[in-house]
Amino acid sequence: MKCDSTLYRAAPPSLAVKPRLIRHLFLPPLIIALMIGLGYIGFWVSEHYGIRSLSENGQRQLELHARAVESEISKYTYLPSLLELESSVSRLLADPSPELRQTVNEYLEGLNRRSRSRAIYVMDTTGRVLATSNWRDVDSYLGEDLSFRAYFQNAVRGQPGRFYGIGSTSGEPGYYLAHGLEEHGKIIGVAVVKVRLEAMEERWQRARLEAFVSDENGIIILSSDPARRLKSVVPLSDDTKERLARSLQYYWYPLNELQPLAREKLAEGEEKLTFPANSELMSDEENISYLSQTRPLSDTPWNFTLLTPLQDLRREAINQGILVAVAFALVAFLLIAWNERRKVIATRLAAREALQEANNQLERRITERTTDLRASNERLKGQIRERRQAEETLRRAQDELVQAGKLAAIGQMSTSIAHELNQPLAALRTLSGNTVRFLERGQLDVASTNLKTINELIDRMGRITASLRSFARRGDDKGQASLGKAVEAALQLLGSRMESAHLQLHRDFADVQVQIDQTRLEQILVNLIGNALDAMQSQPQPALWLEGEEFDGKYRLRVRDNGHGIDAEARKHLFEPFFTTKPGEQGLGLGLTLSASLAAATGGHLGVEHPASGGTTFVLSLPLVSPTPAEPI
Ligand code: ADP
């Protein structure tokens, strides 16, 4: 099948390879880059919205806990001012006698116990402690000069003294609330309440809250995490550090900075803080981030800060990022797969269309060729019919010719047949007459001998007529013949002529089976031998050679005579019908023609040779029925 090559023509290599190469080189890195980018965006968006949600929630928490801190602090705001109402206190300040001091000490002790504060004490305007609730303790403030304390300095000027610090005597942190005690519009002393706020820290810890309170200096004074306590949330200058050290507000504690790894301002009062993993604050191995929300506490210069850990959020955001990246990878993979499949389908469709087109073309050509073939077939059939008719006509003509030839031969032979039959008839007549006479005389033995001779003569006559009948019978192209029997029959038919010619017969052939009708073979042989006899009429020593040989699946019989031979002119027309050199009624010129056509009809051949020694050789080749297999070389 020859297909149209244009249907399958590939794109030029440079055009076909380039985009595919580019795709293969750049697509995977592009997908990976997009995966990372989208993953990061997913992470960022998730973290951003997560922080916003945490922030909203944190604001509520911040408000709640800041208010709790405010209420805790404000509980004690009015306590020092209440001492103004106590006459013993004002009397002590006016006249500090030991009795009064003791009275006030006991009063303060009782008041302290009831208010659950840490200590309550009264100072004169010089800052000396005149009476205190902890007068019984070893580390009592009694008689101490606390004029350096900022809360005293504020209160003695008539301003509220708010102060968080570490007790210089006890080393214990506390919240100091100081109030200038007035009498007749003049400050006569200062009342101080020291409160411990650690209860709040414990409450935060129980609630697993991370929070701290930083004071006006930015120092963390209260923290759910003890490690953060007394750390500064803002950078402290050297001057500030020195000032704070001098004030002993924080005793001798080193005021280290709370140093986050990263600090990111999100909004007013909102920051994202990251602390290092190996920070002393962290037990974890990871860096830890917090959402830090700060709000000032009313009535104080302090700030309340709520820390919300962001690990869970971060983990969630990482998961979201990974999810987005994986989802993208999946979508990209599906898109690529879909695209590849689409291309495969397109290629298949194109191939199918091309195939269909080629098929259609092929079918069209087949149809055209079939039409041509059918037409030529019809022509051929017509020709075959014509040939058959011609063959039939020819065969019929041939049969007629054969028959005519036979009849002619019979006509020719009739004289000799009549002679042949007349002789025995005459002999029979004589013999039968003699036999009658011998019977009458009673010479039975002679009569019996005569009768035997009569029988032999009748047999001979029967044989003559039988061969004549078989010669005249119509044969056909198929059949088998025995060469030996055919030669015998022919010789018998020509027996009388042979006898009268005193012929020398040489036989050198095998009795093979050849593919020809027996009668036809006899007919051919009668013609050939008859012609030889005619040619040898004037030959004093006529001789006939019948020599046979097997050659190439055929049997070749040479009929050679030493007659007058055939002249050059006669050789040209030998096998032409009605060519004869015989005078008068002797020759019809059909013998060789018929013999050659009978031999050819069975696939054989009749040819002639003219030996240099004289005479003529007719070569009859006929196909063997079962040829001897060729000798292997
Ligand atoms: P016919 O015998 O009736 O003449 P044939 O076709 O048998 O017709 O022979 C044609 C001619 O071929 C003969 O007339 C004769 O001249 C020649 N011919 C045939 N056989 C021989 C032969 N063996 N030797 C010489 N001439 C022959």
Side-chain angles (χ1 to χ4, degrees):
M1 164 176 134
K2 196 177 162 192
C3 293
D4 193 346
S5 61
T6 54
L7 295 172
Y8 302 106
R9 194 177 297 150
S14 59
L15 290 176
V17 168
K18 250 186 183 170
R20 188 178 294 177
L21 191 73
I22 289 168
R23 225 170 33 234
H24 283 169
L25 276 179
F26 292 105
L27 201 58
L30 185 73
I31 288 174
I32 292 170
L34 278 171
M35 254 177 81
I36 295 169
L38 285 173
Y40 181 75
I41 290 171
F43 164 76
W44 187 84
V45 169
S46 172
E47 192 185 41
H48 180 77
Y49 283 99
I51 287 177
R52 188 186 281 182
S53 151
L54 275 184
S55 156
E56 283 167 10
N57 195 32
Q59 279 299 340
R60 284 195 294 276
Q61 293 273 331
L62 182 74
E63 197 56 37
L64 195 74
H65 291 285
R67 277 174 197 270
V69 175
E70 281 168 356
S71 77
E72 185 70 24
I73 294 167
S74 63
K75 248 186 1 191
Y76 299 99
T77 311
Y78 301 103
L79 193 58
S81 61
L82 284 178
L83 294 183
E84 249 176 9
L85 304 173
E86 181 55 40
S87 59
S88 59
V89 174
S90 41
R91 272 191 283 126
L92 176 71
L93 288 170
D95 179 22
S97 64
E99 295 80 32
L100 259 175
R101 184 191 306 264
Q102 191 53 36
T103 311
V104 174
N105 274 347
E106 283 168 7
Y107 169 71
L108 292 178
E109 187 181 22
L111 187 63
N112 185 51
R113 194 169 50 246
R114 280 194 291 277
S115 66
R116 294 174 192 270
S117 53
R118 188 67 188 143
I120 305 175
Y121 48 98
V122 176
M123 291 184 282
D124 62 13
T125 49
T126 63
R128 188 168 303 280
V129 177
L130 295 181
T132 175
S133 61
N134 60 1
W135 60 277
R136 287 179 205 272
D137 298 349
V138 188
D139 53 355
S140 163
Y141 305 145
L142 214 55
E144 265 191 52
D145 180 5
L146 297 176
S147 60
F148 65 93
R149 291 290 200 186
Y151 59 83
F152 169 76
Q153 287 162 9
N154 287 340
V156 87
R157 282 201 298 272
Q159 293 164 358
R162 300 277 185 272
F163 179 81
Y164 183 87
I166 296 167
S168 54
T169 318
S170 59
E172 189 184 74
Y175 180 42
Y176 297 85
L177 296 112
H179 180 77
L181 297 170
E182 282 182 33
E183 196 176 57
H184 310 300
K186 192 175 158 240
I187 290 175
I188 54 166
V190 171
V192 181
V193 176
K194 183 182 179 184
V195 182
R196 292 219 53 186
L197 297 173
E198 280 79 4
M200 269 192 295
E201 291 180 336
E202 284 163 20
R203 233 178 286 149
W204 291 341
Q205 282 166 2
R206 275 203 301 278
R208 297 188 181 281
L209 202 72
E210 294 215 42
F212 60 78
V213 173
S214 53
D215 67 5
E216 64 279 10
N217 297 316
I219 306 296
I220 296 173
I221 51 173
L222 292 171
S223 170
S224 57
D225 183 352
R228 282 195 199 110
R229 216 175 284 143
L230 295 175
K231 293 260 182 325
S232 80
V233 292
V234 288
L236 295 177
S237 67
D238 291 342
D239 288 350
T240 316
K241 275 186 184 170
E242 203 187 315
R243 183 174 57 79
L244 293 175
R246 260 206 319 271
S247 74
L248 281 181
Q249 185 176 350
Y250 308 105
Y251 205 45
W252 298 109
Y253 281 95
L255 300 169
N256 292 330
E257 255 179 63
L258 188 69
Q259 281 176 322
L261 257 188
R263 182 189 284 270
E264 189 189 332
K265 187 164 174 157
L266 302 172
E268 195 49 51
E270 247 180 54
E271 277 182 317
K272 187 179 156 192
L273 300 176
T274 307
F275 293 105
N278 54 359
S279 157
E280 52 182 310
L281 302 176
M282 305 299 140
S283 55
D284 238 346
E285 278 304 303
E286 279 178 45
N287 287 346
I288 184 155
S289 297
Y290 288 98
L291 172 68
S292 153
Q293 290 169 296
T294 303
R295 200 205 91 159
L297 292 169
S298 57
D299 285 340
T300 66
W302 298 353
N303 285 317
F304 176 73
T305 302
L306 183 71
L307 294 175
T308 312
L310 294 176
Q311 292 112 301
D312 290 347
L313 178 74
R314 195 179 166 78
R315 224 168 282 141
E316 181 74 11
I318 288 172
N319 287 345
Q320 296 279 359
I322 291 171
L323 202 69
V324 169
V326 168
F328 169 74
L330 198 71
V331 169
F333 173 76
L334 287 175
L335 277 175
I336 289 169
W338 173 78
N339 193 38
E340 288 301 316
R341 182 157 171 70
R342 191 182 58 77
K343 276 195 279 186
V344 167
I345 289 171
T347 313
R348 267 193 211 154
L349 276 178
R352 196 178 294 166
E353 273 172 24
L355 197 68
Q356 187 61 44
E357 181 55 30
N359 221 16
N360 290 346
Q361 274 195 8
L362 193 70
E363 273 177 13
R364 274 198 298 278
R365 283 185 192 170
I366 287 172
T367 314
E368 285 167 16
R369 295 262 166 92
T370 313
T371 315
D372 290 352
L373 278 173
R374 204 168 282 147
S376 65
N377 203 26
E378 284 304 317
R379 276 199 303 279
L380 271 174
K381 273 184 182 169
Q383 285 177 1
I384 289 169
R385 265 198 305 277
E386 283 170 17
R387 291 252 168 93
R388 281 213 180 119
Q389 278 170 2
E391 267 175 25
E392 183 61 26
T393 314
L394 191 68
R395 199 178 55 75
R396 272 205 298 273
Q398 222 171 38
D399 284 353
E400 293 306 319
L401 273 175
V402 169
Q403 202 56 25
K406 284 181 186 175
L407 293 174
I410 290 168
Q412 275 179 334
M413 284 185 290
S414 58
T415 318
S416 53
I417 291 164
H419 172 73
E420 194 69 20
L421 291 178
N422 277 338
Q423 253 192 340
L425 276 173
L428 278 174
R429 198 179 305 120
T430 315
L431 279 170
S432 60
N434 290 346
T435 308
V436 171
R437 275 195 287 279
F438 283 130
L439 283 172
E440 283 168 1
R441 284 183 209 155
Q443 290 178 314
L444 290 174
D445 49 341
V446 181
S448 160
T449 312
N450 278 359
L451 281 172
K452 274 179 194 160
T453 311
I454 288 169
N455 269 346
E456 281 168 8
L457 286 171
I458 289 167
D459 282 349
R460 181 176 158 79
M461 287 169 71
R463 276 202 300 281
I464 290 167
T465 51
S467 45
L468 199 63
R469 197 173 58 242
S470 79
F471 182 74
R473 199 175 64 220
R474 279 180 193 267
D476 62 48
D477 294 338
K478 294 185 186 78
Q480 288 186 17
S482 152
L483 184 62
K485 281 185 187 164
V487 169
E488 284 309 320
L491 292 176
Q492 194 148 19
L493 207 63
L494 299 166
S496 59
R497 287 181 66 195
M498 288 180 69
E499 270 176 31
S500 59
H502 304 292
L503 183 77
Q504 251 192 330
L505 185 63
H506 304 276
R507 299 167 187 238
D508 184 14
F509 62 90
D511 181 15
V512 291
Q513 292 286 318
V514 283
Q515 294 181 25
I516 189 167
D517 180 67
Q518 185 75 36
T519 314
R520 289 191 171 183
L521 181 57
E522 287 169 14
Q523 201 172 345
I524 293 167
L525 290 173
V526 166
N527 277 335
L528 296 178
I529 296 167
N531 280 345
L533 290 172
D534 288 340
M536 292 185 295
Q537 266 176 358
S538 50
Q539 174 61 252
Q541 289 176 330
L544 185 69
W545 289 268
L546 298 174
E547 298 160 334
E549 61 176 343
E550 198 178 320
F551 178 79
D552 196 18
K554 288 187 174 136
Y555 199 79
R556 212 183 253 169
L557 181 74
R558 290 166 187 276
V559 181
R560 181 158 68 92
D561 60 60
N562 58 354
H564 54 63
I566 305 167
D567 60 46
E569 186 54 36
R571 286 177 192 175
K572 293 180 196 165
H573 311 287
L574 214 52
F575 291 97
E576 288 174 8
F578 302 108
F579 172 77
T580 180
T581 57
K582 293 173 188 170
E585 293 297 312
Q586 283 182 29
L588 265 177
L590 285 172
L592 289 179
T593 315
L594 286 175
S595 299
S597 70
L598 286 175
T602 61
H605 179 256
L606 178 65
V608 63
E609 289 171 1
H610 309 283
S613 55
T616 308
T617 306
F618 280 90
V619 185
L620 175 65
S621 293
L622 291 170
L624 280 162
V625 172
S626 48
T628 312
E631 285 289 315
I633 298 165

